[in-house]
């Protein structure tokens, strides 16, 4: 198949955009870790240090180091230093937010929380840094694994918890699908970095749960659930988070779940282990539902953010992470679907990339995080451009084997041999 991800011109364009994205993202370097990056490319130093954003930037720079980008190794070391010291809580966990007081210390924000969303980002960053040659990252990853066992992994459901009050230790009953998908993704990266099977098995358990939940819900995925993985009703006391309301569905989560289930099936096949008969059907159904619900030709086109329980638009914004996940899901599923379906998925991939190029980029390396229905820049969720990892993953995926994560594929490629500052 003459797939667009095999096109040399597109590959070169993606490489150039990746390099420029890293250059733009490097402006987020702060006294401790990496700060929230405004749209003008200036770090917002008035905000507390967000552990999730800082860790995701560290992950980007680890990818950059493996691709041989000069200066990236120093940025990875800077990000690791924040995770090893200022963000650490006294009980061995990590704060989700802290206020730096010096280059090697920070104070937790009032009513501080421990959050798995931040923890998962740190796991991904530590695993990527370890693959890039940072020896101290392996110890950090081992510490994070112990904390997953102690606080976050719920063996009764095969999923992770959401957040814990740092002062009281009280665990929130909330469960978020987005957090679990993020966690499954970084668990796969940690498995590649360590060869410890527990990481892979837990990622697979999460995705099995996602498959069961999605089948019950007709493959349209809400983000918020209770401890028993029942969707929160619209009448729930849980308020919206980043415009996502209880009972609203998020097509972007369908794309992400489809991609990850497809990847795990490819990994199992590569290892010679049985592939669950549900996997391809579930991944395909999730993708098809996300396209049917999300893609629109109205206004600026693209993929809408959320829909209410009746299927009407709830948040009509177009998020850059959603279109990146749509392209990545089409790329992965094309490898495991039949030839006829693969052709249609290649068309979907090209359509998503073309839309992103036209509407989600303000220039080479400058991705707009949120677009209004009329095509203007929206700031209801994102006030700037603090997340470079989603776009970086899509750009770096290219034609790499789908049985590897983007991080694992980058580490194992010939580019990794040219990385500078190995072990710094």
């Amino acid at each position: 198949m003459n797939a667009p991800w095999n096109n040399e011109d597109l590959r070169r364009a993606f490489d150039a955009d990746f390099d420029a994205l890293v250059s733009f993202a490097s402006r987020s370097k702060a006294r401790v870790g990496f700060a929230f990056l405004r749209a003008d490319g200036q770090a917002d130093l008035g905000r507390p240090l967000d552990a999730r954003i800082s860790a995701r930037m560290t992950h980007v720079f680890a990818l950059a180091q493996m691709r041989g980008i000069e200066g990236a190794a120093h940025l990875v070391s800077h990000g690791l230093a924040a995770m090893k010291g200022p963000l650490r809580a006294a009980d061995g966990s990590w704060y989700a937010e802290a206020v730096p007081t010096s280059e090697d210390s920070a104070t937790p924000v009032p009513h501080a929380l421990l959050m798995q969303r931040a923890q998962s980002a740190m796991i991904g960053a530590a695993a990527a840094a370890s693959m890039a040659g940072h020896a101290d990252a392996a110890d950090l990853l081992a510490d994070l694994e112990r904390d997953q066992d102690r606080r976050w992994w719920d063996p009764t459901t095969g999923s992770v918890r959401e957040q814990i009050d740092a002062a009281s230790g009280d665990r929130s009953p909330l469960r978020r699908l987005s957090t679990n998908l993020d966690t499954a993704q970084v668990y796969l990266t940690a498995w590649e970095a360590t060869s410890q099977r527990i990481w892979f098995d837990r990622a697979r358990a999460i995705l099995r749960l996602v498959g069961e939940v999605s089948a019950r819900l007709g493959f349209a995925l809400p983000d918020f659930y209770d401890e028993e993985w029942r969707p929160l009703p619209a009448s729930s006391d849980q308020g919206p988070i980043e415009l996502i309301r209880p009972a609203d569905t998020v097509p972007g989560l369908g794309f992400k779940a489809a991609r990850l289930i497809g990847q795990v099936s490819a990994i199992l096949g590569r290892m010679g282990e049985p592939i669950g008969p549900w996997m391809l059907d579930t991944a395909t159904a999730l993708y098809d539902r996300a396209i049917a619900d999300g893609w629109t030709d109205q206004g600026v086109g693209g993929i809408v953010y959320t829909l209410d329980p009746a299927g009407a638009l709830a948040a009509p914004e177009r998020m850059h992470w959603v279109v990146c996940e749509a392209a990545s899901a089409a790329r992965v599923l094309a490898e495991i679907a039949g030839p006829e379906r693969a052709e249609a998925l290649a068309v979907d991939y090209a359509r998503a990339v073309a839309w992103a190029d036209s509407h989600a980029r303000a220039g080479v390396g400058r991705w707009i995080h949120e677009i209004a229905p009329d095509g203007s820049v929206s700031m209801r969720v994102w006030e700037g451009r603090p997340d470079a990892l989603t776009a970086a993953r899509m750009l770096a995926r290219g034609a790499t084997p789908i049985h590897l994560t983007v991080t694992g594929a980058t580490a194992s490629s010939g580019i990794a041999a040219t990385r500078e500052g190995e072990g710094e």
Side-chain angles (χ1 to χ4, degrees):
M1 180 177 66
N2 186 24
W5 49 83
N6 293 321
N7 182 280
E8 284 298 310
D9 289 338
L10 183 63
R11 182 188 63 79
R12 283 191 290 270
F14 275 14
D15 285 348
D17 205 53
F18 182 96
D19 292 353
L21 180 68
V22 170
S23 178
F24 186 76
S26 67
R27 302 179 186 185
S28 65
K29 183 182 178 185
R31 180 168 58 170
V32 174
F34 300 101
F36 189 102
L37 200 62
R38 300 197 301 253
D40 62 2
Q42 299 300 310
D44 188 347
L45 301 178
R47 292 173 180 258
L49 175 66
D50 185 316
R52 182 171 184 254
I53 288 173
S54 186
R56 286 173 70 85
M57 284 297 193
T58 305
H59 196 149
V60 170
F61 300 131
L63 291 173
Q65 180 183 344
M66 290 186 277
R67 291 168 66 95
I69 294 179
E70 184 178 358
H74 167 73
L75 294 171
V76 177
S77 295
H78 183 72
L80 290 174
M83 289 183 271
K84 289 187 296 180
L87 287 169
R88 290 295 293 262
D91 62 357
S93 191
W94 286 261
Y95 293 117
E97 287 186 308
V99 179
T101 53
S102 72
E103 292 186 357
D104 56 6
S105 65
T107 300
V109 299
H111 312 296
L113 296 173
L114 314 178
M115 300 187 69
Q116 175 62 12
R117 294 172 76 78
Q119 303 283 107
S120 68
M122 287 188 248
I123 291 168
S130 179
M131 285 191 272
H134 293 260
D136 54 345
D139 289 339
L140 176 61
L141 185 56
D143 287 346
L144 285 158
E145 180 187 6
R146 284 188 285 271
D147 197 52
Q148 290 293 291
D149 288 341
R150 181 182 174 191
R151 291 181 175 85
W152 303 102
W153 181 252
D154 179 2
T156 63
T157 59
S159 64
V160 290
R161 302 176 177 95
E162 181 65 23
Q163 67 185 39
I164 300 170
D165 183 275
S168 67
D170 291 342
R171 292 171 170 172
S172 168
L174 177 68
R175 300 290 183 268
R176 291 190 68 182
L177 192 71
S178 57
T179 299
N180 276 268
L181 291 174
D182 282 348
T183 299
Q185 181 160 277
V186 300
Y187 279 4
L188 293 176
T189 307
W191 171 62
E192 291 172 326
T194 65
S195 299
Q196 293 177 5
R197 181 64 186 243
I198 190 172
W199 291 113
F200 176 79
D201 288 342
R202 287 183 174 179
R204 182 169 58 171
I206 289 172
L207 295 174
R208 177 70 194 190
L209 173 66
V210 172
E212 293 170 355
V213 169
S214 63
R216 293 200 304 265
L217 299 175
F219 302 98
L221 298 179
D223 195 14
F224 302 131
Y225 301 79
D226 66 15
E227 292 174 288
E228 302 300 321
W229 281 95
R230 295 170 297 211
L232 295 186
S235 59
S236 168
D237 291 337
Q238 171 65 50
I241 302 177
E242 295 182 350
L243 299 185
I244 302 173
R245 305 178 305 183
D248 286 354
T249 59
V250 188
L253 296 181
F255 292 125
K256 189 165 190 169
R259 171 178 64 80
L260 287 166
I261 292 170
Q263 282 190 276
V264 167
S265 72
I267 292 168
L268 290 169
R270 180 80 173 187
M271 295 192 300
E273 297 188 15
I275 299 171
W278 62 275
M279 298 183 94
L280 178 57
D281 288 346
T282 299
T284 302
L286 282 163
Y287 180 88
D288 288 346
R289 183 64 189 262
I291 280 286
D293 286 350
W295 187 271
T296 180
D297 294 322
Q298 300 298 312
V300 75
I303 303 165
V304 300
Y305 189 31
T306 69
L307 300 100
D308 70 17
L313 276 179
E317 286 73 18
R318 281 63 154 167
M319 301 295 181
H320 86 295
W321 72 264
V322 173
V323 73
C324 287
E325 286 292 355
S328 296
R331 160 77 181 90
V332 167
L333 294 186
E335 294 284 335
I336 61 176
E340 291 186 5
R341 185 63 199 270
E343 293 287 348
L345 288 164
V347 172
D348 285 354
Y349 176 92
R351 179 175 67 168
V353 168
W355 189 92
D357 185 56
S358 298
H359 302 289
R361 292 166 71 243
V364 177
R366 294 181 176 234
W367 283 70
I368 302 167
H369 284 21
E370 180 181 339
I371 300 98
D374 64 0
S376 62
V377 175
S378 175
M379 292 187 290
R380 294 182 70 194
V381 175
W382 300 99
E383 298 174 38
R385 296 174 190 164
D387 180 27
L389 183 56
T390 303
R393 280 190 176 123
M394 192 274 286
L395 294 168
R397 165 56 70 186
T400 58
I402 66 167
H403 68 271
L404 297 169
T405 69
V406 169
T407 308
T410 305
S412 64
S413 71
I415 296 173
T418 67
R419 64 184 180 235
E420 55 98 12
E422 184 168 357
E424 181 173 313

